[in-house]
Amino acid sequence: MVMFCSNKNPYLSQDAELAARILLDQGQEHSIETPHGVLHVTLHGARTTRRPAILTFHDVGLDSKSCFSTLFKFEEMQEIVKSFTLIHIDAPGQDEGAATYPTGFRTVIGVGVGAGAYILSKFTLANPDAVEGLVLVNIDTNARGWMDWAAQKLSSVTSSLTEQVLSHLFSQEELSSNTDLVQSHRDRISKSSNLFNIELFWKAYNSRRDMNLDRNSTFKCPVMLVVGDQAPYEDAAVECNSKLDPTTTSFLKMADAGGLPQLTQPAKLTEAFKYFIQGMGYMASSCMTRLSRSRTTSLSSSYSMDGSRSRSRTLSQGSQGGQMPPSPSQTMEVSC
């Protein structure tokens, strides 16, 4: 069954339960009618309840394919997730507070970007036993302040919806350079047949509530925060990191990755994700990957863990490779 957890009371949908069963049996894409709109769910990989499913949630202006296809089609990532069930959620747009959890699985590992990271974070706080780990890209756990609200109101008058969303997705440097990635997303969003839902999702995200996180009220599971250097939400991600438990939190700041590191630097993010999964105990032995074996790799170091869920993962510049000693709380920094 599929549970929807909104800012109001959680509820169950019989139609969603039936659709989820079809998905599990056939592994096909389906559209599920919900009070929040049409929810698109896609399942890939092995069906097993012995391991958590990997549940993804995309950002505003993206869908599961445009947000995650580059990352999960990357050869190294495919090797990592082949023994998991991979579940992609495409948001209905009407309610950014809606999150999904397939109860056919005991637990999930959430992978969210931007608005999707916020949604999965809200779900995790409401259902701590259902989530074993979180990978949050470009997370902002704060409500918009008055200055941000005023700037957004002005932007809505002077800029098109497409340009507003692009400024949310990409750094100013990327926008100024008008990279191929920016241009492809500009064309895709502006020509989308679903602009109405994109606008609803965008407005809902801008009206988000503060999560009020602190060291005493935070996630109970391991968390990896990811953000690109100079990305729009770099400061927000740094602030979020300061509020989380340092013994269970890793912070990966990727140089020259732009606003969408999962698209621009899938190799670097895959490497970090591998060690995150290993630290949760789901990769008992991890052979050195093609990335960490290569002397020409742009990762400045590789590291290993013993599988403890209570230890912080660390990757820092300045080492040529090999194992690094554990540290209570440090920041992963990757030079691209």
Side-chain angles (χ1 to χ4, degrees), residues 7-306:
N7 289 329
K8 299 179 181 179
N9 294 325
Y11 59 90
L12 300 178
S13 169
Q14 295 180 348
D15 292 340
E17 178 179 359
L18 177 61
R21 289 176 178 173
I22 294 175
L23 289 170
L24 290 172
D25 292 337
Q26 301 181 2
Q28 298 178 354
E29 296 184 7
H30 282 263
S31 297
I32 304 171
E33 292 285 349
T34 78
H36 296 277
V38 178
L39 186 71
H40 302 282
V41 183
T42 309
L43 272 72
H44 303 277
R47 177 184 178 182
T48 175
T49 57
R50 293 178 298 175
R51 293 190 174 197
I54 297 176
L55 178 68
T56 73
F57 215 118
H58 62 84
D59 201 354
V60 178
L62 304 174
D63 54 26
S64 60
K65 292 180 180 179
S66 59
C67 191
F68 295 109
S69 61
T70 301
L71 178 65
F72 284 101
K73 286 182 179 179
F74 189 69
E75 180 180 356
E76 202 69 40
M77 182 62 86
Q78 288 184 346
E79 286 297 313
I80 295 173
V81 303
K82 66 181 181 181
S83 57
F84 294 84
T85 301
L86 180 61
I87 306 174
H88 292 304
I89 301 295
D90 284 301
Q94 281 83 339
D95 184 2
E96 60 83 27
T100 60
Y101 170 54
T103 56
F105 299 89
R106 184 174 58 87
T107 54
V108 298
I109 297 172
V111 181
V113 178
Y118 177 87
I119 291 169
L120 289 179
S121 297
K122 292 280 288 185
F123 176 78
T124 302
L125 292 174
N127 303 272
D129 294 334
V131 182
E132 289 199 34
L134 281 175
V135 178
L136 305 175
V137 182
N138 297 334
I139 181 65
D140 187 352
T141 61
N142 298 321
R144 287 214 149 191
W146 283 107
M147 292 297 293
D148 292 329
W149 178 85
Q152 177 58 38
K153 285 294 184 182
L154 179 61
S155 177
S156 65
V157 174
T158 60
S159 303
S160 66
L161 174 64
T162 298
E163 295 305 317
Q164 293 175 57
V165 173
L166 289 176
S167 66
H168 161 78
L169 296 175
F170 296 102
S171 67
Q172 286 302 313
E173 181 180 353
E174 290 174 296
L175 293 173
S176 298
S177 302
N178 196 28
T179 63
D180 291 341
L181 184 61
V182 171
Q183 189 57 49
S184 66
H185 281 282
R186 177 180 284 111
D187 292 341
R188 183 184 55 78
I189 295 173
S190 63
K191 297 176 182 178
S192 173
S193 59
N194 205 28
L195 276 176
F196 179 70
N197 274 355
I198 293 176
E199 183 176 10
L200 289 175
F201 197 7
W202 177 235
K203 289 181 177 180
Y205 181 59
N206 285 323
S207 301
R208 63 187 179 275
R209 299 177 181 178
D210 199 306
M211 288 189 193
N212 297 314
L213 293 177
D214 57 46
R215 295 288 174 86
N216 297 319
S217 178
T218 186
F219 305 114
K220 306 302 181 184
C221 63
V223 178
M224 182 169 72
L225 303 177
V226 182
V227 69
D229 192 19
Q230 303 301 318
Y233 291 91
E234 180 183 1
D235 291 343
V238 171
E239 181 181 351
C240 178
N241 182 53
S242 69
K243 297 178 180 180
L244 303 185
D245 184 348
T247 65
T248 58
T249 303
S250 302
F251 184 43
L252 173 61
K253 184 165 69 173
M254 304 177 69
D256 302 322
L260 297 176
Q262 78 278 11
L263 300 183
T264 58
Q265 300 292 345
K268 316 304 188 291
L269 188 51
T270 295
E271 186 79 355
F273 185 72
K274 181 187 76 170
Y275 290 115
F276 182 72
I277 295 295
Q278 183 184 352
M280 295 174 62
Y282 289 110
M283 295 180 67
S285 61
S286 178
C287 61
M288 296 304 291
T289 67
R290 175 164 49 105
L291 296 172
S292 56
R293 287 197 306 265
S294 173
R295 289 293 180 182
T296 60
T297 181
S298 55
L299 276 172
S300 58
S301 65
S302 61
Y303 64 107
S304 62
M305 300 171 215
D306 62 3

